[in-house]
């Protein structure tokens, strides 16, 4: 399950800023299909606030410079 919220603000004709966050919950399970000694188990990962931010600057038509930051698990 993943939830993502983001918004973009057009500061000037050539500069846009975006910011947001995501929240996710992941569960993975493993079990062998045949009778072997492979390990079995479950992995659960959850993080409720992972912020993201970025900027895009248009230098000229078709040429842009961008930067971004994202916190991950």
């Amino acid at each position: 399950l993943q939830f993502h919220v983001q918004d973009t603000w057009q500061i000037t004709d050539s500069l846009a800023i975006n910011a947001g966050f995501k929240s996710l919950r992941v569960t993975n399970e493993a079990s062998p299909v045949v009778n072997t000694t492979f390990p079995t188990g479950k992995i659960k990962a959850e993080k409720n606030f992972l912020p993201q931010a970025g900027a895009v600057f248009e230098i000229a038509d078709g040429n842009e410079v961008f930067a971004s930051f994202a916190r991950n698990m």
Side-chain angles (χ1 to χ4, degrees):
L1 176 67
Q2 182 170 324
F3 181 78
H4 182 247
V5 175
Q6 180 175 323
D7 198 4
T8 301
W9 296 278
Q10 191 71 40
I11 307 299
T12 66
D13 288 341
S14 57
L15 177 64
I17 304 290
N18 62 56
F21 74 94
K22 63 183 173 180
S23 175
L24 56 92
R25 183 182 318 150
V26 179
T27 303
N28 292 317
E29 294 185 41
S31 57
V33 178
V34 294
N35 191 11
T36 65
T37 59
F38 290 120
T40 63
K42 182 189 286 190
I43 298 173
K44 183 175 181 180
E46 184 174 344
K47 190 72 172 182
N48 291 323
F49 186 71
L50 297 167
Q52 304 177 122
V56 178
F57 183 74
E58 184 178 6
I59 298 171
D61 288 339
N63 295 306
E64 297 177 337
V65 175
F66 65 91
S68 64
F69 164 82
R71 181 160 315 266
N72 293 302
M73 293 178 65

